[in-house]
Amino acid sequence: MSEGLDIRTLMVCAGAVNITLAALMVTLSLTRRTYPGFHLWTLGFVAGGVGSALLALRGVVPDFLSMVVGNYGIVGFSLFLGRGLAVFLRRPQRPVFEAFWLIVLGIGLVWSSFVEVSARDRALVVMTVFLVFTLRVIVVAYRGGARNGDRPDWLLVAVLVLGFCSASARIVLTIVSPPSASFLEQGPALGITLLLFTLVSIGSMSAAVSLNSRRLEHELSQSELGLQREQATLERLNRELSELAVRDGLTGLHNRRHFDEVLEREWHRLARARRPLSLALMDIDHFKEFNDLYGHQQGDEALQTVAQVVEAAVKRTSDVAVRYGGEEFALVLPETDAQGARQIAERIVSVLRERGIPHEGSQAGPALSLSIGLATLVPGAGTVPDTLVALADEALYRSKKEGRNRLSEAVAPDPAAAR
């Protein structure tokens, strides 16, 4: 290795790289959302950078700072990386495990630096503890990802395996190489391992940023899904509220408001298509007397029964059954001619007669009955929706006048318009 690229120079470069990576991590923390554990990774790069710088300053700074604090910084890189990953992946901490190996490291460093001075022993102690912490990070990286329902981050695993192999190679080189007074005097093989450690730092930073970004994207996608679910819920509730606004609370049929909207809409649609529109208005015969005789609770039950009969008489989704008001009901029958409307009305009368709801106070018969008025028009010039309503109401009035419990059909103002 050339004089311009000795061990001291490599250590300075490694320290500068780690401090730069730490600065980048801090910048990311300030500019975007980061998660618990990210700050520990940042501390790991700071520890690695300071440790490398102190080792490079051997002979310039006190030996304690260089040989003890500096090596603690090197080991601190893997320690903070592992602890940060455990926090990020929400895995249990191992403080007793970490404390034990840090004590082993301290005893080994003090002994090999000041009692039985040996650069080889010092390197073996540091690399052994570094290996232990690195192996733990590999296990956390692999098991942590699988535990959280995601595949392991293979970039991080690969980087850590590279660091593990580099530390193992350093141990082997230390054992087989001739003893030296200082690691700064060791040969090119140590330089290669230092370059590999620098690559491990860069790769670790990339993996940390990648993990944080993936967590952020996942949470954003979950938030978006949550918003979509909330929006769908709100839309459903709005539809339900809209439906309730046009429904009669007692019978469940559409109310008068919806009747007006449907009649207006169908009138204009069928005017363009030149198709017939039929309307049936129905009134329960002598319903006041029914309430007086049987009570309002049975009166409500009778209204619900009539509503069921009316609603069951129509089959098409375009036909609309309405509680017109009080004891009055209506059927809007688009594209239904007079004959079709009559058949539906007769079906309602027949089914209600079969129900046989007693009504002793009725003059129209012994059971609850309906008076019905039918009208059919082809919407066109000179007519409006109220024209159809007036015709059906006139027919209903005639049914009541003629004794109730019957249906009457209106006479269209223009015979050619009725079908």
Side-chain angles (χ1 to χ4, degrees), residues 142-223:
Y142 182 79
R143 292 183 177 177
R147 184 180 222 186
N148 285 276
D150 194 7
R151 293 175 300 175
D153 188 278
W154 294 114
L155 171 61
L156 181 59
V157 172
V159 168
L160 295 172
V161 169
L162 177 61
F164 185 87
C165 293
S166 300
S168 301
R170 174 74 193 282
I171 291 176
V172 172
L173 289 173
T174 301
I175 294 174
V176 301
S177 299
S180 58
S182 170
F183 83 100
L184 295 175
E185 299 175 5
Q186 296 182 29
L190 176 59
I192 294 174
T193 58
L194 291 176
L195 289 173
L196 290 176
F197 281 134
T198 303
L199 291 176
V200 169
S201 296
I202 297 172
S204 298
M205 188 266 190
S206 300
V209 173
S210 174
L211 282 170
N212 190 80
S213 297
R214 282 166 48 187
R215 172 78 58 86
L216 180 60
E217 291 173 0
H218 176 72
E219 289 199 357
L220 287 175
S221 64
Q222 291 299 110
S223 298

Side-chain angles (χ1 to χ4, degrees), residues 113-135:
S113 299
F114 303 106
V115 181
E116 294 288 340
V117 180
S118 170
R120 171 183 290 183
D121 291 346
R122 189 164 57 248
L124 288 175
V125 170
V126 172
M127 286 298 100
T128 298
V129 177
F130 185 90
L131 272 178
V132 170
F133 285 148
T134 302
L135 182 61

